[in-house]
Amino acid sequence: MPLPKQFDSADVESRLYEAWEKGGCFKPSGKGEPFCVVIPPPNVTGSLHMGHALNTTLQDILVRFERMRGKDVLWQVGTDHAGIATQMVVERQMAEKGEKRTDLSREEFIERVWEWKAESGGKIQNQFRRLGASVDWSRERFTMDEGLSAAVRKVFVQLYEEGLIYRAKRLVNWDPKLVTAISDLEVETREVQGHMWHVKYPLAGGETYEYVETDADGNETLRETRDYIAIATTRPETILGDGAVAVHPDDQRYAPLVGKLCEVPVGPKEHRRLIPIITDEYPDPDFGSGAVKITGAHDQNDYGVAKRAGIPLYRLMDEHASMRADGAPYAEEVEKAAALRDQDGEPDEAAVDAINLVPDDLRGLDRYGARWEVIGQCEAEGTLIRVEDKTIQQPFGDRSGVVIEPMLTDQWWVDAEKMAGPAIEAVRSGKTRFVPENWDKTYYQWMENIEPWCISRQLWWGHRVPVWYGPSLRKSMGKPSSDALEQWKRGELSMEDMLMSGEGPERMIPDHGTKKVFCAESSEKAFAMMREYYPTDYQIGTVELEGRSIDDIVHQLAEKGRPNLIPVYQDEDVLDTWFSSALWPFSTLGWPEETSELERFYPTAALSTAFDIIFFWVARMMMMGLHFQKEVPFKEVYIHAIVRDEHGQKMSKSKGNVVDPLGWMDTYGTDALRFCLAAQATQGRDLNLSEQRVEGYRNFRTKIWNAARFVEMNEASVPEGFDPAALKLPLNRWIAHEATEARAQVTSALEAYRFDDAAQAAYRFTWNLYCDWALELSKPILNGEDAAAKEETKATLAWALDRILVLLHPFMPFVTEELWAQTGERDGFLMLEDWSAPDLRDEAAAGDVRFAIDLISEIRSLRAEMNVPPSARLPLVALGADAETQRRLKDQAPALRQLARIEDITLADTPPQGAAQIVTGGVTYALPVAEHIDLSAELARLEKEIGKTESEIGKIDNKLANEKFVSRAPKEVVDEQHTRRADFTATLEKLQAAKARLEAM
RNA sequence: GGGCGCAUAGCUCAGUGGUAGAGCACUGCCUUCACACGGCAGGGGUCCGUGGUUCGAACCCACGUGCGCCCA
């Protein structure tokens, strides 16, 4: 069946992908050197965007290349569970039916998420199939599947036991809409129009000072007596939680105030708090007033200052970023704050956090409502100096779209600093190498300044923190009297007194006021730990808090007459999705089981990803891999570009310039998109994607298709026992030579992750050598009389086409596989074909064919310039040709006749009358163009050639005249210049002779 | 403020000590029997600027200008 005229990408793509998968082509062969790549797991709710398309295409190119080279390739695929995104998707779905997550129990909700995943969670996987990704689907993993969850729990428990995971109160990015901590990655900082409010903080006790400003030369520009310090803030509502005012230690304006107290200028007048004026390197004397208010619980920078100076961190807001409404009336809370401040030593974090410094009238307002109230009060009191319009950087939650509130909360943390050491060392020592290598700087910079990693999220969907809490034990005097117990139940006796009222020997009893942590890989193990810990006469029961406090539960149990039942509960938080992704290179290979895959494929060979997740993912995989496997997770990290639109703009939904890769795949075919992405994947620069370029590569695909049709129409095929090393004709030996060169170029480019060079080398060989010259030069032979030459040429064309299919397969898997199937009797799939081929370089044959190519090109150029009609045939006269040239002319005569439309070829010592002349390869050729020749045009053309040649000779002469060049430059460079000069001079002489002959006419 | 980049043809980009390249776009010619998603030919460049190193700089170094991005 002949090849169809057109390649139908839609039909071929799905059919072939299925065939590959069915044929087991994506599975490791079990033979050869192991080569493993783990796919960066896409979000299970995600769909394919251009970044995925690029990353997946590049990986697939590498993987197909290595597979064809005979390596034992495992491309490990899977998705991550994307805690927030997935929970949101399911909640949105529920909302459509008028349901809320909290209508369900946690368990029921998680069940719903699994149902959603079963129905709709496979979208991006199918899109990977459309891209042609040769991943091993039989090993697909999901971060929430049983094995990966076991890995997560094991890692958590071990790190906890090693002290590398801990619970602490620190500042996090709090999303008040989603009501959870989120990672830096999920925070998008945007410039928005805002304001800067300048506010006076009166000095305590009405003190005054001389405020002096000077210019750069030290001249005084302002002097006044002030009884306040001015601060500037973009968030006036946080004034309520100020713990200090900070100035730069070198700022002379405020030097007299350091160590003094000033007044927080809002809240009821009679309860104004006094806060210290301190120094810190953070305030920029040139920014605002130079004095910065410090609200440690609601600002990253302030947090640092407060921590350094021991300033209390007053939390002002609740989980919805509304002003706190808990605690005692404001007057009492202020006193508590003052009492804590006056205590010696560091204030207790929890005690400070319990203090609510929001004045009674502002409690329950949202952040912005409170802001206007605060401004209003300042204005009324005259402490508002001025309001400045200002562009400010504001953090937004990328999923919720609301302003992120830096907030002090209790979270689980990984002590990343301790784990970073080996991860830094692994890159320094070259165990893991970044490509391009300058990305290691980004890695070092982050690793060396790494912050504790917040791993807990206040969600339901995810790996639940494997920690259970119960009361700790403390000593008691024995069993309390039943009277005391009754009194305690009625609330007439404190628990303490009740417990101490007992008689008999001392014993351990639960103290519900303090927590005991049980960290274990399963509830069973945790339960066993508890059983061990608690006295045998207590029962242990697991409860879900579901919004209740443990005190309430304890009380309820007591009321029900079950004081011997100890309620324990699991931590309600889940872990950051990145925590499970950090284990990806070994968890997907089966860890914690000791699998043969883990043994064989870890460390993996290469990781391909974009630079923006070096921090969030690459660095963390390095830390976890080194900690748990004692080896790096991958030997090389290829960092590819970010895909931008054709004008270099970042693609974003708001700009509306997002290109859907699937759309282009529909229009141009997957192969064209893949080739385009590879050809543009240069190192060290972003990738500006243009539709015209994809179109160009679609044309390239069509070109290959048509070349194959040409081969087919000539009934060319590779015969049994074909030996490309035994070819006779220069043309055939030449294309074998070029095929060898091309394969070498593509191979070394791919080994160096130079996808652009690899694509270009394959493109050039296919189009500019095979199609433009091999096929064209074959035509006179195929149409000629020499049967043996015909057979050899047909066989070679078919063989060379096969080489092209092999070479292009990693880039364009579909069209190449289809042609492979359609153009011969094949033993198997092209994708499993051997990449290697014998070295068939032959410079002599290459020289012969290049002679023809050069001469044909020169003649064509001359004809075009002389406006010789394409149909006209011209005789060619070689002037004083040497023996080799004569041989070549004889050999190449059919080619010259057909491709340069030469009539016949003769040798002469002097040119015929009225001939245009060209000089190439040291020989002058005359083309009697008689009726076509325009004498002056031909003279002008020759003069131009002469001018160019003279200028080249001039440049070389300058060099050679330079004594220092001759004496200091390497000999071969000098020799080369002599050779070049000789060549140019010979050409020049011949050109001048040609010109002289014309002038003589 | 700290860090990382980029600046080469109209556009998008390779090149990185010795001869300036590609693709696309552009111009002219050609429906020739694989392909007009094609063929042939052609035009087009102070390699951002200024210094320095060197026999020699688009390339190495310094400074400057402009533009990105990351961290704070």
Side-chain angles (χ1 to χ4, degrees):
Chain A
M1 196 171 65
L3 281 175
K5 243 194 131 164
Q6 292 284 327
F7 174 72
D8 179 356
S9 59
D11 163 62
V12 169
E13 288 170 11
S14 55
R15 176 161 53 73
L16 285 181
Y17 195 86
E18 208 172 299
W20 286 327
E21 198 174 349
K22 257 193 200 154
C25 300
F26 301 157
K27 293 184 180 175
S29 64
K31 287 176 294 212
E33 185 189 329
F35 183 89
C36 180
V37 173
V38 292
I39 204 166
N43 177 337
V44 68
T45 66
S47 59
L48 194 78
H49 58 60
M50 217 36 110
H52 292 125
L54 173 67
N55 184 37
T56 307
T57 295
L58 299 183
Q59 283 174 79
D60 195 45
I61 289 170
L62 278 185
V63 153
R64 284 180 187 268
F65 165 65
E66 297 292 5
R67 202 182 275 122
M68 292 173 92
R69 289 217 289 179
K71 290 192 186 168
D72 185 19
V73 171
L74 170 59
W75 189 6
Q76 175 63 49
V77 69
T79 48
D80 77 35
H81 64 279
I84 291 175
T86 311
Q87 181 162 321
M88 278 177 78
V89 166
V90 176
E91 285 187 282
R92 208 176 297 138
Q93 211 176 40
M94 289 176 69
E96 282 166 18
K97 290 185 253 166
E99 291 178 304
K100 290 201 306 286
R101 167 168 59 106
T102 45
D103 295 345
L104 304 178
S105 73
R106 182 168 181 147
E107 207 175 324
E108 287 164 341
F109 177 76
I110 289 169
E111 193 51 46
R112 291 279 183 97
V113 180
W114 281 110
E115 283 166 20
W116 168 86
K117 181 180 179 283
E119 279 171 34
S120 338
K123 189 172 164 191
I124 197 160
Q125 287 94 324
N126 288 326
Q127 293 168 331
F128 280 177
R129 287 182 157 88
R130 282 208 53 195
L131 258 184
S134 57
V135 295
D136 185 355
W137 291 110
S138 71
R139 298 186 49 83
E140 184 180 359
R141 301 306 294 265
F142 179 51
T143 46
M144 283 291 281
D145 72 25
E146 218 166 286
L148 269 63
S149 299
V152 164
R153 289 192 300 267
K154 187 176 170 76
V155 164
F156 186 99
V157 171
Q158 187 177 327
L159 292 178
Y160 176 80
E161 284 169 356
E162 292 169 346
L164 293 168
I165 283 183
Y166 57 91
R167 189 161 172 83
K169 202 181 272 299
R170 289 177 56 95
L171 211 56
V172 295
N173 301 306
W174 185 264
D175 189 315
K177 188 172 170 193
L178 300 175
V179 197
T180 177
I182 61 174
S183 75
D184 292 346
L185 186 68
E186 292 154 323
V187 177
E188 194 188 332
T189 306
R190 292 205 296 261
E191 283 201 337
V192 295
Q193 285 308 310
H195 306 281
M196 190 82 147
W197 285 272
H198 295 251
V199 180
K200 293 176 179 176
Y201 281 41
L203 296 181
E207 245 189 279
T208 61
Y209 68 111
E210 285 296 291
Y211 177 83
V212 181
E213 276 183 8
T214 52
D215 63 17
D217 302 324
N219 301 314
E220 203 171 293
T221 54
L222 176 72
R223 174 181 285 269
E224 61 184 20
T225 304
R226 285 186 176 178
D227 61 355
Y228 63 88
I229 183 165
I231 61 91
T233 180
T234 58
R235 304 199 54 199
E237 69 278 16
T238 63
I239 291 175
L240 297 166
D242 283 352
V245 168
V247 297
H248 194 276
D250 300 336
D251 195 334
Q252 291 310 308
R253 295 171 296 179
Y254 302 115
L257 299 182
V258 172
K260 304 209 161 148
L261 297 174
C262 64
E263 186 184 303
V264 175
V266 286
K269 245 340 215 219
E270 62 279 21
H271 299 299
R272 290 279 161 91
R273 290 189 296 123
L274 294 178
I275 55 175
I277 297 166
I278 62 170
T279 59
D280 194 275
E281 297 288 331
Y282 163 64
D284 176 357
D286 298 325
F287 187 80
S289 66
V292 180
K293 62 191 251 355
I294 300 301
T295 321
H298 288 281
D299 181 277
Q300 285 291 351
N301 293 309
D302 294 8
Y303 179 78
V305 177
K307 277 287 179 187
R308 285 190 285 276
I311 301 295
L313 309 166
Y314 299 118
R315 183 170 55 85
L316 295 171
M317 298 173 204
D318 64 14
E319 58 186 15
H320 303 290
S322 294
M323 305 311 281
R324 284 170 66 169
D326 61 328
Y330 181 69
E332 287 175 39
E333 297 283 346
V334 170
E335 270 170 40
K336 284 190 212 164
L340 275 173
R341 197 194 69 211
D342 295 340
Q343 266 176 16
D344 288 339
E346 287 283 307
D348 177 62
E349 272 187 357
V352 173
D353 191 65
I355 295 171
N356 177 1
L357 287 180
V358 179
D360 302 326
D361 56 334
L362 302 185
R363 292 188 177 187
L365 291 180
D366 83 359
R367 297 177 274 186
Y368 304 104
R371 174 177 299 178
W372 299 114
E373 289 294 325
V374 166
I375 295 163
Q377 287 183 19
C378 290
E379 201 162 18
E381 281 187 34
T383 49
L384 182 66
I385 302 165
R386 67 192 170 97
V387 185
E388 194 185 337
D389 288 336
K390 202 171 167 58
T391 306
I392 56 171
Q393 303 279 331
Q394 204 159 29
F396 290 85
D398 68 353
R399 302 244 174 230
S400 66
V402 301
V403 175
I404 294 307
E405 186 64 39
M407 191 123 76
L408 199 61
T409 56
D410 285 307
Q411 303 287 347
W412 286 97
W413 303 85
V414 170
D415 185 348
E417 202 182 334
K418 286 213 182 85
M419 296 183 75
I424 293 170
E425 181 49 31
V427 175
R428 284 214 196 285
S429 65
K431 287 191 186 107
T432 291
R433 193 169 72 88
F434 279 87
V435 181
E437 65 183 8
N438 57 296
W439 286 113
D440 61 11
K441 295 201 181 94
T442 304
Y443 174 84
Y444 293 138
Q445 202 200 329
W446 193 67
M447 281 301 221
E448 282 159 5
N449 301 296
I450 199 163
E451 293 283 324
W453 171 18
C454 176
I455 51 171
S456 44
R457 299 287 181 268
Q458 288 62 51
L459 305 172
W460 280 359
W461 173 240
H463 300 104
R464 194 160 173 182
V465 172
V467 163
W468 286 259
Y469 302 104
S472 37
L473 292 175
R474 65 165 182 186
K475 282 179 186 161
S476 155
M477 294 306 292
K479 197 174 181 183
S481 69
S482 52
D483 271 2
L485 204 58
E486 283 305 314
Q487 279 179 290
W488 171 67
K489 279 186 201 167
R490 290 195 300 269
E492 293 163 12
L493 201 62
S494 74
M495 186 184 271
E496 178 95 352
D497 289 342
M498 182 267 287
L499 291 170
M500 295 309 284
S501 72
E503 291 169 1
E506 191 177 85
R507 53 181 231 132
M508 300 305 286
I509 55 134
D511 170 7
H512 290 284
T514 55
K515 275 185 198 171
K516 170 76 183 171
V517 172
F518 301 92
C519 180
E521 286 173 43
S522 65
S523 56
E524 290 76 17
K525 280 187 186 164
F527 203 79
M529 289 164 80
M530 294 169 197
R531 198 60 279 173
E532 182 99 339
Y533 179 74
Y534 292 115
T536 48
D537 52 339
Y538 283 95
Q539 285 178 289
I540 301 163
T542 310
V543 295
E544 283 286 350
L545 294 182
E546 290 176 330
R548 297 171 296 172
S549 80
I550 193 69
D551 288 346
D552 292 343
I553 291 169
V554 169
H555 226 88
Q556 278 171 15
L557 287 171
E559 274 170 2
K560 286 181 191 159
R562 315 243 354 232
N564 276 7
L565 179 63
I566 298 177
V568 297
Y569 60 99
Q570 187 174 1
D571 193 298
E572 294 191 284
D573 290 347
V574 299
L575 294 168
D576 180 8
T577 306
W578 293 102
F579 188 85
S580 44
S581 302
L583 317 180
W584 192 250
F586 52 95
S587 62
T588 52
L589 295 176
W591 191 86
E593 303 291 318
E594 286 173 20
T595 61
S596 56
E597 287 86 351
L598 191 62
E599 173 69 26
R600 183 160 177 73
F601 291 110
Y602 192 95
T604 68
L607 180 84
S608 163
T609 189
F611 78 89
D612 52 352
I613 56 172
I614 291 177
F615 303 150
F616 295 95
W617 194 46
V618 178
R620 285 165 184 171
M621 284 190 285
M622 290 291 286
M623 293 192 276
M624 291 294 194
L626 283 160
H627 197 80
F628 287 92
Q629 303 301 317
K630 308 296 167 213
E631 270 201 273
V632 292
F634 20 73
K635 292 166 207 148
E636 293 185 328
V637 181
Y638 171 72
I639 302 291
H640 65 243
I642 296 288
V643 184
R644 297 170 176 278
D645 75 6
E646 58 189 312
H647 306 295
Q649 296 288 306
K650 208 168 180 173
M651 289 187 187
S652 74
K653 278 182 198 151
S654 52
K655 278 187 203 137
N657 61 347
V658 176
V659 178
D660 176 11
L662 296 160
W664 281 8
M665 284 152 71
D666 290 339
T667 310
Y668 302 106
T670 297
D671 289 326
L673 176 67
R674 286 174 59 117
F675 201 89
C676 185
L677 290 169
Q680 290 200 266
T682 60
Q683 290 184 3
R685 202 190 264 247
D686 286 346
L687 188 159
N688 296 358
L689 200 65
S690 102
E691 186 158 5
Q692 280 184 325
R693 231 173 135 164
V694 188
E695 194 184 350
Y697 293 118
R698 188 271 321 264
N699 297 350
F700 176 53
R701 186 203 62 205
T702 306
K703 186 80 180 173
I704 303 161
W705 188 259
N706 282 311
R709 287 182 60 225
F710 174 82
V711 171
E712 183 189 54
M713 282 173 187
N714 283 284
E715 295 168 328
S717 62
V718 185
E720 196 77 29
F722 175 77
D723 178 10
L727 293 168
K728 293 200 170 55
L729 295 185
L731 170 64
N732 296 330
R733 295 189 67 79
W734 164 76
I735 199 67
H737 168 98
E738 294 291 359
T740 303
E741 285 285 340
R743 195 200 62 229
Q745 284 166 14
V746 174
T747 302
S748 63
L750 286 181
E751 282 171 344
Y753 300 89
R754 302 300 309 243
F755 296 96
D756 55 334
D757 287 349
Q760 205 193 354
Y763 184 102
R764 273 187 59 79
F765 175 64
T766 303
W767 197 321
N768 303 109
L769 296 177
Y770 184 77
C771 292
D772 286 350
W773 291 107
L775 293 188
E776 294 303 327
L777 290 169
S778 76
K779 285 176 182 174
I781 300 170
L782 297 177
N783 298 330
E785 302 296 310
D786 184 339
K790 235 186 215 178
E791 282 316 301
E792 186 187 284
T793 302
K794 275 159 64 170
T796 308
L797 286 182
W799 172 85
L801 178 66
D802 283 357
R803 298 319 308 163
I804 286 172
L805 297 181
V806 167
L807 216 52
L808 284 172
H809 179 76
F811 304 89
M812 298 187 140
F814 294 110
V815 70
T816 51
E817 187 74 77
E818 178 67 2
L819 284 173
W820 185 257
Q822 299 268 343
T823 57
E825 292 293 316
R826 311 292 188 178
D827 294 335
F829 288 107
L830 172 62
M831 78 169 275
L832 301 180
E833 188 63 16
D834 188 359
W835 178 266
S836 66
D839 188 330
L840 300 166
R841 276 179 264 230
D842 179 351
E843 287 297 342
D848 286 352
V849 176
R850 282 180 195 141
F851 165 84
I853 290 174
D854 288 345
L855 184 53
I856 290 166
S857 300
E858 288 289 340
I859 295 169
R860 281 172 168 176
S861 183
L862 177 84
R863 292 175 62 112
E865 281 185 62
M866 292 288 105
N867 288 316
V868 177
S871 53
R873 287 193 171 274
L874 299 177
L876 179 72
V877 183
L879 302 182
D882 57 22
E884 190 182 39
T885 306
Q886 290 184 28
R887 178 184 64 76
R888 283 172 163 174
L889 282 171
K890 195 165 165 250
D891 287 350
Q892 301 299 334
L896 289 164
R897 285 200 190 92
Q898 179 148 344
L899 302 188
R901 299 197 71 79
I902 292 300
E903 201 165 26
D904 53 25
I905 300 166
T906 51
L907 303 173
D909 290 328
T910 52
Q913 286 286 310
Q917 296 153 83
I918 50 180
V919 179
T920 178
V923 176
T924 305
Y925 299 88
L927 288 112
V929 285
E931 68 269 29
H932 309 295
I933 196 162
D934 172 341
L935 198 64
S936 61
E938 172 63 359
L939 270 175
R941 190 185 66 82
L942 282 173
E943 270 160 15
K944 196 173 146 202
E945 285 291 306
I946 288 167
K948 267 200 240 166
T949 312
E950 281 173 342
S951 126
E952 286 299 326
I953 294 171
K955 277 192 225 165
I956 298 167
D957 281 347
N958 280 342
K959 261 188 187 184
L960 293 172
N962 183 342
E963 252 178 65
K964 284 181 176 172
F965 171 72
V966 178
S967 59
R968 295 195 193 179
K971 186 173 176 301
E972 53 285 9
V973 173
V974 180
D975 288 350
E976 194 192 343
Q977 296 304 321
H978 280 293
T979 312
R980 288 186 66 222
R981 191 183 189 285
D983 291 347
F984 278 121
T985 308
T987 302
L988 180 64
E989 280 166 11
K990 293 194 164 65
L991 286 169
Q992 277 164 340
K995 187 181 160 209
R997 286 190 290 268
L998 269 187
E999 279 165 344
M1001 275 169 66

